[in-house]
Amino acid sequence: MTLLNKIATGNTASIYLHENKVVKVFRDDLPATAPAYEANKQQQAHGTGLRVPEVFEVTIIDGKPALVMEYVSGKTLGQLLMEDREQAGFYMGLSVDIQREIHEKKIDSMEPMKEKLERQIESVGCLDQEAKAALLGKLASMTFESRLCHGDFHLYNLIQTDDGITIIDWVDASSGDIRADVYRSYLLYSQVSTELAELYVEIYCEKSGLGKEEIFSWAPIVAAARLAENVATEDEVRLLAIAQSALLDD
């Protein structure tokens, strides 16, 4: 397969459009199981009835692991917002409606959020053992009903098509606490715009009845897990400060 039309580059892979399909080619330094891991999560999400691209194949292309999936034509809500910033409330409201639809799904087969967060916190090199113990203790104390959580939910992972909105990028999905998922979205927005982050959480709380305080109770845990991802565009100092706030709760 010869891939010529690259349409995006992410933290872990390059995305191509080929014969009206999306081909996600992963970096060759990642585990060979990475495409199957992502494909499994996306297939499970697709199986709930949500608008999620269909997965066609896990394969190898030029020696690199790859994932072939349905191509969804359209602009992301993030792109639409950038074209008309006065509609921020409208697009954010649409996104919250979709996220709440995701959160209504119960799914036992998805990776448990607690296990995922524990693994991430344990792997963070810049946190000492005292901080990790505090964070893991806080995580263990959380009680909740497990629901489907996207794990990377924001306007750029929602594609507006002619007949609805499709949700993409399910690699961070898990079965867990919706409040943690909401804080994760807030954290992602706040890295680029405090105004958008506050608008998002205000709309989510208004539509769901959740309180901001209960959402932010997850802040240290989610920030610590984000540190494990080593995202170049993230502010590690900011994340570390949020994560270490767990020590103040003891």
Side-chain angles (χ1 to χ4, degrees):
M1 183 185 296
T2 302
L3 301 176
L4 299 175
N5 186 13
K6 183 186 286 190
I7 57 176
T9 301
N11 191 46
T12 61
S14 295
I15 314 296
Y16 298 85
L17 180 59
H18 180 75
E19 296 180 351
N20 205 37
K21 295 177 183 177
V22 168
V23 182
K24 186 171 185 177
V25 181
F26 291 74
R27 294 199 326 253
D28 52 12
D29 61 326
L30 293 174
T33 55
Y37 176 77
E38 180 169 343
N40 180 52
K41 290 191 174 188
Q42 189 161 316
Q43 287 170 323
Q44 288 184 64
H46 183 273
T48 67
L50 293 167
R51 293 179 60 91
V52 175
E54 185 177 353
V55 174
F56 296 129
E57 183 183 12
V58 174
T59 187
I60 301 292
I61 297 175
D62 294 331
K64 297 179 180 180
L67 178 60
V68 182
M69 65 190 101
E70 176 187 358
Y71 171 62
V72 179
S73 178
K75 292 184 177 181
T76 68
L77 294 194
Q79 290 171 314
L80 294 172
L81 172 58
M82 290 299 102
E83 292 172 3
D84 187 357
R85 298 187 183 223
E86 291 185 2
Q87 295 298 311
F90 172 74
Y91 290 121
M92 197 64 80
L94 276 181
S95 77
V96 167
D97 288 341
I98 293 166
Q99 191 174 25
R100 293 192 64 222
E101 185 180 353
I102 294 170
H103 290 164
E104 288 173 0
K105 305 293 185 181
K106 291 184 178 180
I107 184 164
D108 296 328
S109 55
M110 190 70 77
E111 179 180 19
M113 178 185 284
K114 276 192 172 180
E115 292 181 11
K116 184 173 186 287
L117 292 172
E118 285 172 355
R119 183 177 69 251
Q120 289 176 311
I121 290 168
E122 289 283 13
S123 73
V124 178
C126 60
L127 284 173
D128 60 28
Q129 288 305 312
E130 181 185 6
K132 288 181 181 180
L135 288 160
L136 293 173
K138 186 173 181 65
L139 175 59
S141 72
M142 295 293 199
T143 56
F144 54 89
E145 179 183 22
S146 290
R147 298 281 182 161
L148 179 59
C149 294
H150 183 278
D152 193 25
F153 190 88
H154 52 75
L155 294 170
Y156 285 93
N157 277 335
L158 300 171
I159 299 177
Q160 178 70 66
T161 70
D162 291 338
D163 58 352
I165 295 174
T166 297
I167 314 153
I168 63 171
D169 200 358
W170 286 87
V171 67
D172 292 308
S174 64
S175 176
D177 190 335
I178 65 172
R179 298 168 299 177
D181 200 42
V182 174
Y183 183 78
R184 164 80 175 194
S185 294
Y186 175 88
L187 188 69
L188 296 175
Y189 283 128
S190 65
Q191 172 68 7
V192 295
S193 170
T194 300
E195 184 179 358
L196 271 182
E198 291 297 331
L199 175 64
Y200 160 73
V201 79
E202 177 184 327
I203 292 175
Y204 194 98
C205 288
E206 180 182 341
K207 286 178 175 284
S208 67
L210 287 179
K212 188 174 179 180
E213 184 176 340
E214 55 184 315
I215 292 167
F216 275 63
S217 66
W218 279 90
I221 297 167
V222 175
R226 179 68 169 167
L227 279 168
E229 297 172 34
N230 297 312
V231 179
T233 55
E234 262 288 8
D235 182 347
E236 184 177 292
V237 174
R238 177 184 83 117
L239 294 177
L240 190 58
I242 299 170
Q244 289 178 328
S245 67
L247 294 170
L248 303 177
D249 297 335
D250 288 354

